[in-house]
Amino acid sequence: MGGRSLQTFMVLFLFMICLSNIQISEARIRHYRWEVKYEYKSPDCYKKLVITINGRSPGPTIIAQEGDTIIVDLENSLLTENVAIHWHGIRQIGTPWFDGTEGVTQCPILPGDTFRYEFVVDRPGTYLYHAHYGMQRESGLYGSIQVSPRDGVAEPFDYDYERSIILNDWYHKSPSEQATGLSSTDFKWIGEPQSLLIQGKGRFNCSKLTTPSLDPDACNQTKPECAPYVLTVIPGKTYRLRIGSLTSLSALTFQIEGHNMTVVEADGHYVEPFVIKNLFIYSGETYSVLVKADQDPSRNYWATTSVVSRNRTTPSGLATFNYYPNHPRRSPPTVPPPGPVWNDVESRLAQSLAIKSHQNYIHKPPQTTDRLIVFLNTQNQVDGRVRWSVNNVSFNLPHTPYLIALKENLTDAFDQTPPPTGYDFVNYDIFKRTNKTNATSSDGIYKLQFNTTVDIVLQNANDMNINNSETHPWHLHGHDFWVLGYGKGKFDIFNDPRNYNLENPIMKNTVAVHPFGWTALRFRADNPGVWAFHCHIEAHFYMGMGVVFAEGIDMLKNLPSSIMGCGHTKGFHRP
């Protein structure tokens, strides 16, 4: 072999070794074995049954790198309840059957069974996982997913350390008890939560128990289990806080006394940085904020979360922002900051409008759309029961998951009539109390042409209470969408699209539609599968506030038999 040939061979050989090393570093498998079961816990000092993962709530944080494969072997030890887990923000490209949405992508996991989820985390960011069966999420079955970039890839901001924090509201009644009240003709609303949790810790005032308990341990504020969450920091260092909300009902604000926060990431996408005092966050959203420990290091500070958008009766959740080496249980010398006024819609809308894509990470949306669907959020009565509806149609989940029904051509598994794509734009007054009896229910779905561009406009209106319109956080499975704009009042189908942000819109998977307002989204129907799009408030989705999209079903390979076994698929499941 000549010198030049040998040199060429060595270059190619070294290149192949480097390529092999890159592939090894990018193809890690992270294998988890989880047992899901009920345990008595007291996260806010009040003892109740909590769904745990390996004895913990929140569950273990999944820490991975872009391109890693996640395998979770989930054993359902709930004894009397089914379960399913949704990997919130993970698009499940090529694995739609592992999205973890009971009734949409899989049959539920039966008591005593073990189910394997296997999927790739295909981009860095902050994500979540949580129960997606009935209203189980609010029993504590949730956790964080933290995905870092590939080796050698830098993010557009610097920090010294990071923490994952989940904010949640907490009820003392079980989801089953709440669901029974919501489903009854004698409607019983779930009410406001009893407390707010920061990373699974809160504080309920036991003296406010309306019914005394014979159990001396039923509510005990001295339990270490419900001591405030402590976030210890080193003076002068910068911290990345990966904050996610998995509230059942509440929109929240989060703040750290005396400190600014810089927003740098939202739902896995880099944000053009902006500074805030309060972070408004809605159920299903995730943010990364940078906080520098630059205040007086001789004391500790409060970190607080409070309810907004509802006339709050729930006390603020408290944590300690602990400057090392102060004792972590040393209380700050001040009163916790109260947070913003609950009904200040303008401030919340201003933050929504401030979130733009980082100037070096702009993914421009298609400049035109192939299809427009307008979703009017209304509250109605269907068959004498209070329901939430979209375009006056209240959504019901079928017994046979849509993904299986469509792939196997089980046309009698759900209503084949597509739901409406709009409402009476001319005559409907969004500011008037809704006509509560003009709705129907359906399990029909929207079929999207593969690889087309779809615009969604979420329109808020008055519900069945006079002068009342609620904030609804909507979450799309299987996709990210561009947030093109927000507006007040009724969406103008002719003029409002002229003001869409088509230059640097943020991409997200969850977004809020504000009271008496609208939010416009755009996404590409480019992920073969069946995907839920729904309000992330547990009671609202349970009461019918959601839809389902199907796209590219003919492109999918054979479905795994592990997702089958319910409805029309009872004979399909093979162990």
Side-chain angles (χ1 to χ4, degrees), residues 351-526:
Q351 179 186 291
S352 294
L353 291 168
I355 302 173
K356 311 293 184 187
S357 286
H358 190 285
Q359 60 183 346
N360 297 329
Y361 295 86
I362 295 174
H363 303 280
K364 283 197 174 185
Q367 298 299 288
T368 59
T369 187
D370 298 305
R371 185 175 183 182
L372 169 65
I373 306 175
V374 180
F375 289 140
L376 174 72
N377 298 327
T378 60
Q379 194 178 47
N380 311 78
Q381 280 191 350
V382 180
D383 299 329
R385 291 172 171 82
V386 177
R387 301 281 292 177
W388 281 98
S389 305
V390 177
N391 293 339
N392 290 323
V393 176
S394 188
F395 177 70
N396 292 321
L397 279 169
H399 295 295
T400 303
Y402 291 110
L403 180 63
I404 308 170
L406 288 166
K407 183 63 177 174
E408 303 295 335
N409 198 29
L410 305 174
T411 56
D412 57 344
F414 64 92
D415 187 351
Q416 298 297 304
T417 304
T421 58
Y423 68 102
D424 186 348
F425 303 107
V426 175
N427 297 311
Y428 194 98
D429 188 344
I430 68 166
F431 297 101
K432 285 189 176 180
R433 182 181 177 185
T434 185
N435 178 357
K436 64 182 182 180
T437 59
N438 64 347
T440 60
S441 62
S442 173
D443 57 9
I445 65 174
Y446 295 86
K447 294 182 180 179
L448 307 177
Q449 186 176 344
F450 184 73
N451 216 26
T452 56
T453 300
V454 181
D455 277 15
I456 303 293
V457 174
L458 297 165
Q459 175 68 68
N460 239 342
N462 204 107
D463 56 30
M464 291 200 303
N465 300 307
I466 297 174
N467 297 325
N468 189 66
S469 179
E470 299 191 24
T471 300
H472 298 288
W474 277 76
H475 170 58
L476 178 59
H477 294 224
H479 303 80
D480 291 333
F481 48 72
W482 290 275
V483 183
L484 301 184
Y486 302 84
K488 300 177 183 178
K490 186 190 290 188
F491 177 75
D492 186 329
I493 197 170
F494 300 106
N495 294 312
D496 283 328
R498 298 175 183 174
N499 297 317
Y500 282 172
N501 176 13
L502 300 176
E503 294 301 315
N504 61 348
I506 191 63
M507 297 190 77
K508 297 182 95 272
N509 61 64
T510 305
V511 73
V513 54
H514 296 288
F516 295 113
W518 56 265
T519 302
L521 323 172
R522 178 169 293 175
F523 71 96
R524 294 285 294 178
D526 57 1

Side-chain angles (χ1 to χ4, degrees), residues 212-450:
S213 174
L214 297 177
D215 181 359
D217 203 35
C219 195
N220 184 348
Q221 291 177 246
T222 66
K223 290 182 178 179
E225 184 182 356
C226 60
Y229 173 68
V230 176
L231 201 164
T232 300
V233 297
I234 299 171
K237 298 297 183 181
T238 298
Y239 289 79
R240 177 185 188 173
L241 304 184
R242 297 177 181 261
I243 304 172
S245 171
L246 282 173
T247 53
S248 173
L249 172 67
S250 310
L252 299 176
T253 179
F254 177 81
Q255 62 183 326
I256 300 173
E257 178 192 10
H259 294 72
N260 290 328
M261 297 181 286
T262 302
V263 179
V264 294
E265 179 222 344
D267 288 1
H269 291 275
Y270 299 129
V271 170
E272 186 64 22
F274 64 98
V275 177
I276 55 172
K277 288 286 188 183
N278 297 282
L279 175 70
F280 295 108
I281 185 168
Y282 307 94
S283 181
E285 287 191 313
T286 63
Y287 290 97
S288 284
V289 299
L290 302 183
V291 182
K292 187 170 184 179
D294 58 2
Q295 299 300 301
D296 179 3
S298 67
R299 52 160 291 193
N300 291 334
Y301 297 81
W302 294 109
T304 69
T305 186
S306 305
V307 174
V308 292
S309 190
R310 301 182 68 86
N311 192 355
R312 58 189 175 220
T313 58
T314 308
S316 295
L318 302 178
T320 303
F321 197 69
N322 164 231
Y323 270 72
Y324 181 83
N326 296 316
H327 195 283
R329 298 302 177 202
R330 180 182 173 188
S331 290
T334 51
V335 175
V341 179
W342 72 271
N343 58 354
D344 182 2
V345 179
E346 293 297 325
S347 294
R348 291 188 282 122
L349 180 59
Q351 179 186 291
S352 294
L353 291 168
I355 302 173
K356 311 293 184 187
S357 286
H358 190 285
Q359 60 183 346
N360 297 329
Y361 295 86
I362 295 174
H363 303 280
K364 283 197 174 185
Q367 298 299 288
T368 59
T369 187
D370 298 305
R371 185 175 183 182
L372 169 65
I373 306 175
V374 180
F375 289 140
L376 174 72
N377 298 327
T378 60
Q379 194 178 47
N380 311 78
Q381 280 191 350
V382 180
D383 299 329
R385 291 172 171 82
V386 177
R387 301 281 292 177
W388 281 98
S389 305
V390 177
N391 293 339
N392 290 323
V393 176
S394 188
F395 177 70
N396 292 321
L397 279 169
H399 295 295
T400 303
Y402 291 110
L403 180 63
I404 308 170
L406 288 166
K407 183 63 177 174
E408 303 295 335
N409 198 29
L410 305 174
T411 56
D412 57 344
F414 64 92
D415 187 351
Q416 298 297 304
T417 304
T421 58
Y423 68 102
D424 186 348
F425 303 107
V426 175
N427 297 311
Y428 194 98
D429 188 344
I430 68 166
F431 297 101
K432 285 189 176 180
R433 182 181 177 185
T434 185
N435 178 357
K436 64 182 182 180
T437 59
N438 64 347
T440 60
S441 62
S442 173
D443 57 9
I445 65 174
Y446 295 86
K447 294 182 180 179
L448 307 177
Q449 186 176 344
F450 184 73

Side-chain angles (χ1 to χ4, degrees), residues 124-174:
T126 304
Y127 309 105
L128 303 162
Y129 65 83
H130 58 80
H132 218 296
Y133 179 81
M135 296 169 61
Q136 275 180 348
R137 187 180 84 216
E138 63 181 66
S139 283
L141 182 49
Y142 58 82
S144 297
I145 304 174
Q146 180 178 311
V147 184
S148 60
R150 300 179 190 273
D151 292 338
V153 177
E155 295 184 285
F157 45 83
D158 297 314
Y159 55 93
D160 298 298
Y161 304 101
E162 62 183 8
R163 303 282 190 275
S164 289
I165 298 173
I166 293 181
L167 307 177
N168 207 6
D169 49 11
W170 196 246
Y171 288 85
H172 293 168
K173 288 184 178 180
S174 70

Side-chain angles (χ1 to χ4, degrees), residues 37-92:
K37 64 178 179 179
Y38 273 112
E39 297 186 21
Y40 279 106
K41 297 281 186 181
S42 304
D44 70 342
C45 307
Y46 178 87
K47 185 168 71 173
K48 63 168 285 187
L49 282 172
V50 175
I51 302 180
T52 64
I53 297 176
N54 298 344
R56 296 166 57 183
S57 176
T61 297
I62 293 177
I63 299 176
Q65 192 173 34
E66 179 184 0
D68 286 355
T69 296
I70 306 298
I71 298 176
V72 176
D73 289 323
L74 189 149
E75 179 185 355
N76 179 8
S77 296
L78 294 181
L79 301 179
T80 59
E81 292 183 33
N82 302 329
V83 74
I85 290 187
H86 169 53
W87 313 95
H88 183 112
I90 306 301
R91 292 176 293 180
Q92 299 292 347

